[in-house]
């Protein structure tokens, strides 16, 4: 096996931009658990409230991440039993007609489906150097599913937005333990709330949402980080001014530059809410530090996302990013979905640094340099992996 010292040495030898992940030997080195309801084997980050990460090999098998191994993230405790017949979605605030809808009421609206990546804003946080505080995810705090439900827009139309509506706020059944702590509530600007693909979903990959992924209803905001995808949704409030609540005004803020990037230790400067995701390609069949037998061509596979546009191209490099070759893409399941890639590299005996990078349909190329910010959000630089051949 590669030692930490050889990895550091090779990281220093590689081009400055190619920073090696020293955080984890690989995804599998952290404890695994199969103890959670409706979940198979997951990486355990925290049991209560649960933080469960998807092992990387799961993404190597299919375009859609199985519900049983879809990652889980909760800030607060939530009910463990929900009676679907009694669940109500309340719509109020700056509307003409406040409503309280049952699941049966929702099921009468036109049905929509969208394939979309759900990714935590802190996905990959545990890989930042220098380290940052927060859930120490590797890159498994993401997943792709076929979400099914109704358009948020259609539900808002039933209640009728009043003139001057600015934002739409969402809350779920979970609640903080500590008195006075802020409820987990997130808002979308009203123009984004009214877009075609924002759904109130109750199905994920053809089945009911797992409890841990937000049964019985969750918001789906394709192209935006999952902090907005409020689970166990029971409250929608239309606001006539910007949401000044903790989870919008104080949390999930990133440096106000396109890459969410500042020098470690530099003043934070102006910050803006985390919103759209960025293109990423992640290798799923090889883990960092793995030793592989020599072959003429070493298969390299993975998943790519385009952020807020579809994936146009994925390229591989076997020489620390000096040269790149485009690889074959899997089926196009739409703008918001994972797109798998299938390639191969001729790797020499000894240590190789391999990389994959995505380009989206807007022409945005995944940068080679890793971005950094104190909360570890929006990580989207190329992820180099060290592979030992022989
Ligand atoms: N009600 C509620 N919804 C929530 C959260 C939460 O704590 N409570 N966490 C958000 C965050 S930060 C993430 S990353 C996603 C995780 O979605 P998942 O658990 O289905 O993977 O849920 C989002 N929706
Ligand atoms: Mo998150």
């Amino acid at each position: 096996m590669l030692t930490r010292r050889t990895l550091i040495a090779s990281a220093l030898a590689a081009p400055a931009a190619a920073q090696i992940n020293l955080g984890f030997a690989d995804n599998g080195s952290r404890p695994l658990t199969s103890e959670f309801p409706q979940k198979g084997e997951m990486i355990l980050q925290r049991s209560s409230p649960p933080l469960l990460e998807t092992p990387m090999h799961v993404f190597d098998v299919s375009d859609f991440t199985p519900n049983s191994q879809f990652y889980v993230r909760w800030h607060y405790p939530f009910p463990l039993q929900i009676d679907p017949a009694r669940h109500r979605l309340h719509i109020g605030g700056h509307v003409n007609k406040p409503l309280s809808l049952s699941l049966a009421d929702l099921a009468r609206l036109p049905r929509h489906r969208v394939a979309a990546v759900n990714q935590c804003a802190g996905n990959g946080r545990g890989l930042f150097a220098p380290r940052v505080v927060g859930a120490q995810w590797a890159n498994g705090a993401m997943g792709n599913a076929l979400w099914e439900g109704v358009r948020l827009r259609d539900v808002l139309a039933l209640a009728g937005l009043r003139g001057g509506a600015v934002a739409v706020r969402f809350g779920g059944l979970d609640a903080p333990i500590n008195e006075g702590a802020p409820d987990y509530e997130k808002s979308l600007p009203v123009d984004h709330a009214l877009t075609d693909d924002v759904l109130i979903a109750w199905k994920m990959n053809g089945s009911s949402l797992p409890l841990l992924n937000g049964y019985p209803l969750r918001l789906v905001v394709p192209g935006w980080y999952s902090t907005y995808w409020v689970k166990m949704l029971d409250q929608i409030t239309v606001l006539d001014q910007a949401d000044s609540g903790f989870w919008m005004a104080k949390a999930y803020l990133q440096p106000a530059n396109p890459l969410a990037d500042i020098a470690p230790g530099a003043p934070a400067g102006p910050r803006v809410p985390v919103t759209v995701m960025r293109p990423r390609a992640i290798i799923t069949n090889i883990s960092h530090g793995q030793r592989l037998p020599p072959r003429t061509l070493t298969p390299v596979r993975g998943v790519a996302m385009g952020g807020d546009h579809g994936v146009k191209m994925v390229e591989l490099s076997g020489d620390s990013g000096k040269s790149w070759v485009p690889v074959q893409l899997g089926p196009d399941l739409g703008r918001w979905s994972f797109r798998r890639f299938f390639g191969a590299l001729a790797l020499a005996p000894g240590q190789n640094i391999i990389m994959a990078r995505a380009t989206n349909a807007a022409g945005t190329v995944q940068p080679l340099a890793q971005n950094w910010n104190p909360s570890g959000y929006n990580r989207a630089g190329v992820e180099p992996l060290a592979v030992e051949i022989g």
Side-chain angles (χ1 to χ4, degrees):
M1 279 305 285
L2 296 166
T3 64
R4 197 178 164 88
R5 187 178 297 274
T6 61
L7 292 179
I8 292 170
S10 70
L12 294 176
Q19 183 197 67
I20 298 294
N21 305 328
L22 295 169
F24 305 109
D26 63 36
N27 256 1
S29 64
R30 291 165 298 153
L32 294 168
T33 176
S34 304
E35 305 272 283
F36 286 80
Q38 300 170 289
K39 293 287 163 184
E41 191 168 73
M42 302 293 289
I43 299 164
L44 179 66
Q45 296 272 8
R46 182 180 73 194
S47 16
S48 181
L51 292 181
L52 308 175
E53 181 171 339
T54 303
M56 199 46 64
H57 63 83
V58 172
F59 303 112
D60 195 46
V61 184
S62 55
D63 295 318
F64 290 116
T65 314
N67 294 3
S68 62
Q69 287 187 294
F70 209 100
Y71 85 100
V72 172
R73 197 266 188 270
W74 288 92
H75 289 87
Y76 294 139
F78 50 89
L80 297 177
Q81 245 154 30
I82 290 172
D83 179 353
R86 296 183 58 185
H87 188 77
R88 292 293 177 275
L89 176 60
H90 305 282
I91 300 119
H94 208 62
V95 295
N96 294 322
K97 189 170 71 155
L99 295 174
S100 173
L101 302 176
S102 67
L103 299 182
D105 294 332
L106 287 171
R108 282 191 279 273
L109 292 171
R111 207 69 64 87
H112 289 276
R113 290 199 290 184
V114 64
V117 175
N118 160 342
Q119 180 179 217
C120 179
N123 195 25
R125 181 189 285 121
L127 304 171
F128 276 110
R131 299 293 280 262
V132 296
V133 295
Q136 296 295 298
W137 304 114
N139 275 318
M142 62 175 188
N144 190 46
L146 185 63
W147 309 94
E148 181 174 338
V150 296
R151 284 189 170 135
L152 171 63
R153 187 171 80 195
D154 291 346
V155 171
L156 292 174
L158 289 181
L161 295 186
R162 274 161 48 194
V166 167
V168 184
R169 190 177 67 203
F170 306 89
L173 296 175
D174 50 336
I177 323 172
N178 298 338
E179 192 86 24
D183 218 355
Y184 188 76
E185 290 177 323
K186 296 293 294 190
S187 301
L188 295 176
V190 76
D191 58 342
H192 199 73
L194 297 177
T195 55
D196 282 357
D197 289 338
V198 176
L199 302 185
I200 297 171
W202 56 85
K203 276 190 166 182
M204 177 175 171
N205 295 326
S207 309
S208 296
L209 293 166
L211 183 88
L212 294 171
N213 299 105
Y215 183 85
L217 295 174
R218 88 173 302 168
L219 197 68
V220 168
V221 190
W224 285 35
Y225 281 106
S226 190
T227 174
Y228 294 95
W229 299 39
V230 172
K231 302 191 280 188
M232 291 189 182
L233 181 67
D234 74 331
Q235 285 290 343
I236 298 181
T237 310
V238 178
L239 306 177
D240 62 0
Q241 53 193 333
D243 185 348
S244 57
F246 175 83
W247 293 101
M248 285 302 297
K250 298 273 194 297
Y252 288 101
L253 300 177
Q254 66 180 27
N257 65 66
L259 300 184
D261 187 26
I262 60 169
R271 296 185 304 161
V272 293
V274 166
T275 55
V276 292
M277 302 196 288
R278 296 200 282 136
R280 301 187 78 186
I282 296 182
I283 294 168
T284 54
N285 69 320
I286 297 173
S287 53
H288 179 55
Q290 198 173 340
R291 180 189 288 272
L292 293 172
R295 324 176 41 165
T296 320
L297 284 173
T298 300
V300 181
R301 298 184 298 270
V303 293
M305 62 182 99
D308 59 346
H309 289 81
V311 174
K312 188 171 78 185
M313 177 170 70
V314 175
E315 298 160 289
L316 293 180
S317 173
D319 58 7
S320 304
K322 291 193 267 300
S323 63
W324 295 90
V325 285
V327 295
Q328 193 194 325
L329 297 179
D332 181 357
L333 301 171
R335 169 176 187 176
W336 315 115
S337 174
F338 272 165
R339 189 135 186 207
R340 291 168 78 205
F341 59 88
F342 303 88
L345 287 168
L347 300 177
Q351 189 179 275
N352 296 263
I353 304 297
I354 67 168
M355 302 175 179
R357 79 174 173 197
T359 299
N360 73 12
T364 305
V365 186
Q366 190 180 356
L368 197 54
Q370 196 57 264
N371 55 309
W372 189 95
N373 58 75
S375 301
Y377 292 139
N378 217 325
R379 181 183 175 93
V382 164
E383 300 284 6
L385 297 182
V387 193
E388 180 81 13
I389 301 294

